[in-house]
Amino acid sequence: MDFTPTEEQAAARDLAGEIFGDLATPERLAAAGTGSDAELWKALCAAGLPGAVEDVGLLGLVLLLEEQGRTTAQVPFAASCVYGLLAVAAHGTAEQKDRLLPALRQGEEIVTGAFPARGGVTVAGDGVAVAEGVPRGGVLSGTVPWVPWLRDATRVLVAAADRSLWLVRVADARMEPVELTAPWAAGRLVLDGVPGERLGDATAYDEVLACARTAFAGLQAGVCAGSLARAVSYTNGREQFGRPLAAKQGVQLRAADAHMDTEAIRVTAYEAAWRRDAGLPFGTHALTAAWWASEAGKRVVHAGQHLHGGMGADLDHPVHRHFLWGRQVDAYLGCGSEVLEELGELIAKGEPA
């Protein structure tokens, strides 16, 4: 087991860090409101970073998402790479790959996911493919209360009640904007007899969900690292009774605990991603990473806000964005108790690690 980035992974990470650092400034984020930054997305696509995920794998994507999380950059990078690029590359037919992957690499198509399966979407007319290699068609009905980045997406990967996966054109459905804890350009997805194309077989759902949980754990590691970096900078610069706040033992202990929690999120996400790229079972590892991202993530972003004292209560302060993102990732794809229950069930069944 070796988490050392390859030359390609390190180069992609460094380039992403440079682009996010230059364009995802607090001023630009404030101006974006709850929407996405179209200019930043164009810059990422011009640099070839969405397409690079095919080469750097899930571990490479985790490294890229750490850089996004440090700045809380408002682009659908995680969603489109997990539910679009990686899902189609792993589970699509040859025809689907030829048709969809070029636009996904260029960022011309943006895919998000209606995950996890909650039983709100049913499928009718799941017939046999009309020709070899042509995906089966179905008609989807139901409502998904909120889907992240739906306002930016051209397609959405819908997990139906039976855990089958369906690619749906957003233009064919009804989308109603909703606001989340974090500004993720979300929407309510209403499917009323909407056509969809099947992606993958019966095993695709679990693999895509595990990839998503791993990727968003990597995003959470970056969110927490950014929050902690701001807290360290603030407590070193803020003086009380002639001494920096960072000189106080209580502050040091709180920051140290946050650092260890952040490292736990990072290493569990790395392990799950590395195992997936190596072709090893990684379902329980993805759940472990998701648990740390949920439970430890909210501790870290709370600590980051508390260490700012009264400034942490300012809704316009940059650290508050990390708090909102941390709490959003905490609940997305299952909160700590939910993923812990899933993990326990897998272990009880004796399924592969």
Side-chain angles (χ1 to χ4, degrees), residues 17 23 44 87 94 99 112 118 125 134 196 198 200 203 205 247 255 265 278 349:
L23 295 182
L44 293 169
R99 173 165 48 90
T112 189
R118 301 289 191 189
V134 177
R198 180 74 181 263
T203 66
Y205 172 82
I265 301 169
K349 292 177 183 177

Side-chain angles (χ1 to χ4, degrees), residues 220-314:
Q220 183 77 308
V223 170
C224 291
S227 175
L228 184 57
R230 291 190 181 279
V232 169
S233 176
Y234 178 81
T235 54
N236 273 284
R238 178 80 170 182
E239 291 191 359
Q240 189 177 67
F241 305 114
R243 299 176 61 201
L245 289 175
K248 298 182 181 297
Q249 188 179 49
V251 172
Q252 294 172 2
L253 292 173
R254 190 77 186 276
D257 286 342
H259 171 73
M260 295 305 297
D261 272 338
T262 301
E263 289 302 301
I265 301 169
R266 177 180 288 117
V267 74
T268 52
Y270 283 6
E271 182 178 10
W274 178 86
R275 290 182 65 89
R276 186 264 187 189
D277 293 342
L280 299 171
F282 73 110
T284 56
H285 298 78
L287 286 167
T288 302
W291 183 86
W292 277 103
S294 175
E295 295 295 318
K298 60 188 172 189
R299 287 197 297 265
V300 174
V301 295
H302 274 270
Q305 196 163 21
H306 291 166
L307 289 173
H308 278 75
M311 294 299 295
D314 183 357

Side-chain angles (χ1 to χ4, degrees), residues 9 52 57 70 76 97 114 228 258 265 324:
Q9 288 171 338
R70 291 178 198 276
K97 292 176 185 179
L228 184 57
I265 301 169
L324 296 177

Side-chain angles (χ1 to χ4, degrees), residues 29-291:
L29 292 170
T34 60
S36 298
D37 190 330
E39 182 179 341
L40 175 56
W41 180 247
K42 289 179 182 178
L44 293 169
C45 295
L49 287 176
V53 172
E54 278 188 284
D55 299 320
V56 300
L58 184 57
L59 180 55
L61 176 59
V62 166
L63 294 172
L64 298 176
L65 293 176
E66 275 194 81
E67 300 304 318
Q68 179 184 2
R70 291 178 198 276
T71 59
T72 63
Q74 290 178 200
V75 286
F77 195 64
S80 197
C81 287
V82 169
Y83 301 121
L85 196 81
L86 291 180
V88 172
H91 303 287
T93 64
E95 186 275 335
Q96 284 176 316
K97 292 176 185 179
D98 291 341
R99 173 165 48 90
L100 298 174
L101 285 179
L104 288 168
R105 295 182 188 118
Q106 297 298 321
E108 297 167 356
E109 289 264 16
I110 297 175
V111 180
T112 189
F115 269 68
R118 301 289 191 189
V121 177
T122 58
V123 184
D126 182 11
V128 180
V130 296
E132 185 178 354
V134 177
R136 291 178 294 174
V139 178
L140 282 68
S141 299
T143 300
V144 183
W146 64 273
V147 178
W149 310 111
L150 186 61
R151 282 179 263 165
D152 296 328
T154 56
R155 298 176 188 267
V156 55
L157 184 62
V158 179
D162 62 357
R163 297 193 170 192
S164 58
L165 299 184
W166 301 86
L167 277 169
V168 172
R169 293 176 65 248
V170 175
D172 293 335
R174 189 165 84 247
M175 190 276 294
E176 302 166 356
V178 297
E179 299 301 339
L180 306 179
T181 301
W184 284 5
R188 182 171 181 260
L189 181 66
V190 181
L191 303 168
D192 186 10
V194 173
E197 58 177 292
R198 180 74 181 263
L199 183 72
D201 56 21
T203 66
Y205 172 82
D206 288 335
E207 198 272 344
V208 173
L209 179 57
C211 281
R213 282 171 164 160
T214 303
F216 279 90
L219 182 67
Q220 183 77 308
V223 170
C224 291
S227 175
L228 184 57
R230 291 190 181 279
V232 169
S233 176
Y234 178 81
T235 54
N236 273 284
R238 178 80 170 182
E239 291 191 359
Q240 189 177 67
F241 305 114
R243 299 176 61 201
L245 289 175
K248 298 182 181 297
Q249 188 179 49
V251 172
Q252 294 172 2
L253 292 173
R254 190 77 186 276
D257 286 342
H259 171 73
M260 295 305 297
D261 272 338
T262 301
E263 289 302 301
I265 301 169
R266 177 180 288 117
V267 74
T268 52
Y270 283 6
E271 182 178 10
W274 178 86
R275 290 182 65 89
R276 186 264 187 189
D277 293 342
L280 299 171
F282 73 110
T284 56
H285 298 78
L287 286 167
T288 302
W291 183 86

